[in-house]
Amino acid sequence: MENEGRERRIFLKGVVAGGTVAVGSVMPQAVQAQPVGAAASTTPATNLPAGYTFLTPDEGVFIEAVVDHMIPADQFTPKGTDLGVHIYIDRALSSGWGKGERLYRQGPWKQGSANQGYQLPLTPSELYRNAIASCNEQCVKQYGKTFDKMAAEQRETFLLGLQGGKVTLENGPPGRTFFAMLYQNVMEGMFADPMYGGNKDKAGWKMIGFGGVVAVHQQNVVKYLGKKFPVNPLGIADMS
Amino acid sequence: MATRKLKEVDAVIIGLGWTGGILAKELSEAGMKVVALERGRMTTTEADFQVPFVRDELRYVQRQEMMQDAARDTLTMRNTQGQEALPVRRLGAFLPGEAVGGAGLHWSGGTWRWTDMEFKARSMYEGRYGKAYIPDDNFVRDWGISYAEMEPYYDKFERTAAVSGKAGNLRGNVQPGGNPFEAPRLHEYPNPPLNPILACQMFSEAATKAGYHPFPRPAANSSRPYTNPDGASFGGCQYCGFCQRFGCEANAKASPHMTVVPAALKSPNFEMRTNSWVTRILKDAQAKRVTGVLYTNLLTGEELEQPAQMVFLCSFTLNNTHLMLLSGISQPYDPETQKGVIGRNYCYETRTAANMFFEGKEFNPFMSAGGTNVVIDDFNANWSFDRGPLNVVGGYIMSAGHNTNLPIGNRPVPRGTPAWGSKWKEATAKWFGSSMSISSSGGTMPHRHNYLDLDPTYKNVFGQPLMRMTFDFKDNDHRINAHAAKMVNELAKSLNPTFMSAASGEKQSWSVIPYLSTHNGGGTSMGTSPADSAVNPWLQSWDAHNLFIMGASTFAHNGAYQPTGLVGALAYRTADMIKNRYVKNPGPLVSA
């Protein structure tokens, strides 16, 4: 049974990859030329070189599609990839965290109850690697195409299903566990300090009015009691 | 390679947080040769907590930089005995620290004086409600200490830790603006309260209107420049908003690394060894004493034996119990026979909260300190709050304010808001600065079936069994939480928010995610009988008179207050006893 599952999966991976090649035009944004606007950025420290350190091309287009779906361009911020959230996730996955730092990794492995927390034998980067492939398999099966080529409504339905445990990743890791990590990482990419590759131009912080890494508020806490603080948030790189 | 045996010292201290630091300073100043073994590394404000690098939510909160490394050592957990315990693979509900300073580096600074309502809990409740009031499976008991004997040590810790607050009861006279339910104190706090923020003011008004007694949370966040009695310099708090989980660049948040540890290091009698992991306390079974400790130098892998006349177990509360179980000094607790003492009376904390959203209000939640909160104690230290109709032992404090509301982890939106997309962004943008919460915090009572023992399956990096936690909230805890939710919601509604997500009083089962509280208590609890406690009221082991266990693991139950005020005071009290009494005539201080 196990072997059958694995072979089927290898086969499907081939289909997915083939699909990408066949269309030809889908390249991860990270390997495309930078958009013109980026060159004019006022904060060079957040301009990380394009290119992925962990994600494969197929994984890259999946993550880009997810972050642009979750963080669309609107009056609040540019879209997720324009904030560098995909870059943030790629860097996180190749960091110590992504490789299982501070994660107890000894077996035996049991599913456990929800109260017992994360119990998979996978590091975050291993979880992504397996789950993205499984998600795309599931999308091909359900919608006839990989996630990045699905319409917005289909993406929404799929992500809600993953979040709520309604989408099962056959032969893959638990979809809800993957979603929880993916969602957390998207939020980190939007709101962590820009030096990690996301939250470009502190757009996430500006959106909510977060004060950034300002060192002193001893006067402000009195002066702005109950009043809006005029935020022009600084990041770590701005003060270094 | 054979274990290298070192020269005997007067005292060896395991773990260099608040209690280890206090003992190190007091005993080395008194002329004793003291060695402290800390598994983490050295920390200094200058090297580790500089702006802007210290202002990194991802690094210190989500990635847990200053916390115990679960890959090396964690524990297993289950809710009930029937389940199989599984490892806490990534820390979540509670966060032990790992460095010189311990959890004292990353706390918020809440510093309370626990009262006789905790120390004499069983007699007070039985006296008022009768012998049958407390069910058999609730192990609450008297601790064997009193507020009166703790008062000078509370005062000493408050002065060491630069606590900001307002006295509510000075020598029996109730003071306006303070906590009228606190027990009498001889002196004011060393520093005035922190500046109030909008959420504090709104909660104060609502609570006063409802007939309660709000006061600023006493906190070891120095509200002004201050020099403590040991000569440690504090800067005034900058309300930077990065407090809980963070080191403080201003030295405004009291921490062992900038107070008691450097004070101890001034003495030639004190030696600190970092990267030193104690794997066992060595016991001389015949003599009913311990002889020292076995530890590994993490920089070389070498195993060493450090003999000592006295051993002070001062690690994080859960690790204290773990090391006692690994060392086999006292009998582990067995819930079936109800015999044994190590792992017994393990307790935790209940919390519930209401989120409120106010159109047009500006809270500036990022301008806050660890202690910018207002509290009411009307349902905790207030003995005229009649528990009889609720059928509970214990109570809860209720508070509001902002403390470390950072954007990755804290972006409240009204219930029903989508989790992503433009609608989510709109709500997040609108409410980040316009929301506040009211929360409750209650202790839990010790229960026959909540306990700690060694796990049969999983091991740490030294091949030693992990500790196994069997814990869930029990009926007494549920009833306290249900009452708390009701009262929280009443006050929240009275503020007339635009939207409100009510506090839940539903029965809850404990989960290892998300974060709940690092106020774990019990496991090596104190008491007046060796049949049900690990240490006597001087925190001296019943089974080895030269072994002393410090910290919240000695609490006989967990109250509603944060633990550190009592943890610090107990350490000062034991230090005095050692200096004035024990060293003159070593032996059991209380006859069993």
Side-chain angles (χ1 to χ4, degrees), chain A residues 205-206 208-212 228-234, chain B residues 364 366-367:
Chain A
W205 292 353
K206 287 174 186 163
I208 61 174
F210 175 63
K228 196 169 184 66
F229 178 67
V231 175
N232 182 22
L234 297 178
Chain B
N364 295 324
F366 47 86
M367 291 181 200

Side-chain angles (χ1 to χ4, degrees), chain B residues 365-382:
Chain B
F366 47 86
M367 291 181 200
S368 62
T372 36
N373 298 92
V374 161
V375 186
I376 60 170
D377 210 3
D378 296 71
F379 303 105
N380 180 48
N382 174 14

Side-chain angles (χ1 to χ4, degrees), chain B residues 524-541:
Chain B
T524 67
S525 61
M526 75 170 91
T528 53
S529 162
D532 60 10
S533 59
V535 293
N536 66 30
W538 293 104
L539 312 188
Q540 177 186 43
S541 164

Side-chain angles (χ1 to χ4, degrees), chain A residues 72 74 77 104 108 183 196 227, chain B residues 56 364 419 422 425 458-459:
Chain A
D74 51 26
T77 70
Y104 181 82
Y183 182 76
Y196 289 102
K227 294 182 205 134
Chain B
D56 187 342
N364 295 324
S422 282
K425 287 168 75 177
Y458 294 94
K459 305 275 197 287

Side-chain angles (χ1 to χ4, degrees), chain A residues 71 74-77 83 190-191 199 202-210 228 233, chain B residues 411 421-422 424-430 432:
Chain A
I71 308 169
D74 51 26
Q75 70 268 42
F76 302 105
T77 70
L83 298 183
M190 184 154 176
F191 295 109
N199 191 13
K202 290 146 284 189
W205 292 353
K206 287 174 186 163
M207 176 182 110
I208 61 174
F210 175 63
K228 196 169 184 66
Chain B
R411 289 167 277 100
S422 282
W424 163 74
K425 287 168 75 177
E426 185 179 9
T428 306
K430 179 167 181 156
F432 176 77

